[in-house]
Amino acid sequence: MPGGRLTHHERQRIALGLADDLPYAEIARRLDRPTSTITREVMRNGGPAAYRADLAHRATEHRAHRRKRTAPTTATTRGARAPEQAHGRDPEAVRAYEETFTTLLMQSGLPKMMAGVLTRLYTADAGSLTAAELVQRLQVSPASVSKAITFLESQGLVRRERDQGRRERYVVDDDVWYQSMIAAARSHAQLAETARQGVQVLGRDTPAATRLENIARFVDFVGESITRAAEQAREVLYTRPESPRAADAPEAGEPPQPPGSPQPPGSP
C-alpha cells in the first residue's frame, strides 16, 4: 500500500534499484510508492552509496520501538525492557549507544543476534552476563541467545565459565581484540600465499602474474604491520586509562610548566 510502512522486501528492491543506478522516481514507480518516500528512505539511511536494506529495516524498527517506549507504560514493563543502570547512567542513552555499537558490528559482518549479544557483554561492567540476563536485555528467546553464544564461542570472541552459584556465565576477554588482530594477520598471510601460487600458474612476468605478485607484497606488508602493532599495543588492553588531569600534573616539588614552554631532553 502506498501509504503503509515500507516492508523488508521493498527495502531490498530499493537496494537493488540503487545498485542498478535507477533514479528514485523509477524505483518508486516499480514499488507503487511516492518518489518522496523513496528519497526520504534512502537519505535517512546512508544515502545511495551506503544504503543497506537490512540495516535500514532494522533502524526503522528501532525508531518505532523508541516511539513505543515513550508512551505511558507500567512500572513492570519498564523494568523488563530497561534494566536498572549502575553508576547513575541514563538507561535510554545506554540503550541508544548499544544499538549504535550493534549496528557497527553488523556492518563489519556479524549477524544481528551475535552482534547484539557481543555488544551487551562489552558494555557490562563485569564483562560477563548469564543467559537469563542476556534474554532480559535483548528481549529474545533463550534459544536465540544459546545459538549466538555458540557462534561467538566458535570464533573465539567469548568463553564460558561458572560462578559461585554454578550458573554459566558468558565472558568477553580484553585479549579478544588482540587475538582478532592476529587472526586478521594470519588471513592476510594466507591471501599472500595464494596470490603467489597464482604467479606460478599464470607465468611470471605476465601482466596477471605481476598483478598478483604486487597484491602479495602489499598484503604481506599490511599483515606484518598489523602483527607488529598488535604486539606493541597489547598491554594497552590491560591498562587503566590515565586521567588527563593526572597526566598533566607536575611531580611533587616540580613547578608547573606554562603552555608552550620547552620540555627537558628526552621528554615526549
Side-chain angles (χ1 to χ4, degrees):
M1 295 176 59
R5 182 177 297 173
L6 287 168
T7 65
H8 187 237
H9 178 65
E10 286 178 315
R11 289 190 167 94
Q12 290 176 325
R13 292 179 63 186
I14 290 173
L16 290 174
L18 294 172
D20 290 337
D21 292 326
L22 295 180
Y24 295 155
E26 177 60 19
I27 297 174
R29 187 188 66 78
R30 295 185 180 190
L31 295 179
D32 192 23
R33 293 278 190 171
T35 302
S36 60
T37 297
I38 306 303
T39 304
R40 184 167 56 251
E41 165 69 14
V42 174
M43 296 312 295
R44 79 186 304 182
N45 289 290
Y51 184 84
R52 299 292 182 272
D54 290 346
L55 295 177
H57 195 71
R58 187 170 184 275
T60 300
E61 290 180 333
H62 170 53
R63 287 191 291 267
H65 181 66
R66 290 196 67 178
R67 285 194 292 270
K68 289 180 182 179
R69 285 180 58 84
T70 58
T73 56
T74 64
T76 302
T77 301
R78 286 197 301 269
R81 290 186 175 272
E84 184 178 347
Q85 293 292 327
H87 307 293
R89 295 169 180 146
D90 179 357
E92 284 298 319
V94 171
R95 190 178 62 81
Y97 174 75
E98 289 174 340
E99 291 297 327
T100 298
F101 202 95
T102 298
T103 300
L104 177 64
L105 292 177
M106 289 174 63
Q107 290 173 334
S108 70
L110 274 181
K112 175 181 177 181
M113 183 55 60
M114 290 66 171
V117 167
L118 200 57
T119 293
R120 270 60 182 189
L121 290 172
Y122 279 141
T123 55
D125 284 318
S128 68
L129 293 168
T130 64
E133 289 169 335
L134 285 167
V135 166
Q136 179 190 28
R137 283 164 168 75
L138 292 165
Q139 293 294 293
V140 296
S141 69
S144 296
V145 168
S146 177
K147 182 178 178 180
I149 288 295
T150 299
F151 172 84
L152 294 170
E153 190 176 28
S154 72
Q155 301 298 308
L157 297 174
V158 303
R159 61 180 172 83
R160 303 169 190 249
E161 65 179 28
R162 293 192 179 277
D163 60 19
Q164 294 180 347
R166 306 304 296 164
R167 293 178 305 174
E168 193 170 68
R169 301 188 69 86
Y170 309 121
V171 184
V172 287
D173 288 322
D174 292 337
D175 211 43
V176 161
W177 290 104
Y178 167 79
Q179 298 296 342
S180 175
M181 291 296 176
I182 296 301
R186 292 196 194 101
S187 177
H188 281 80
Q190 291 173 353
L191 176 57
E193 177 61 27
T194 302
R196 288 200 169 93
Q197 291 173 7
V199 172
Q200 302 301 321
V201 172
L202 298 172
R204 191 171 296 278
D205 297 329
T206 65
T210 299
R211 183 180 306 112
L212 288 174
E213 177 61 33
N214 287 340
I215 290 172
R217 291 168 53 225
F218 172 80
V219 170
D220 272 342
F221 180 84
V222 171
E224 291 169 3
S225 299
I226 289 175
T227 300
R228 185 165 54 252
E231 293 289 355
Q232 292 174 345
R234 189 176 187 180
E235 65 180 44
V236 172
L237 294 169
Y238 301 94
T239 305
R240 186 178 182 87
E242 188 174 273
S243 168
R245 296 182 64 181
D248 294 339
E251 296 182 1
E254 177 185 343
Q257 296 291 326
S261 60
Q263 299 296 313
S267 64

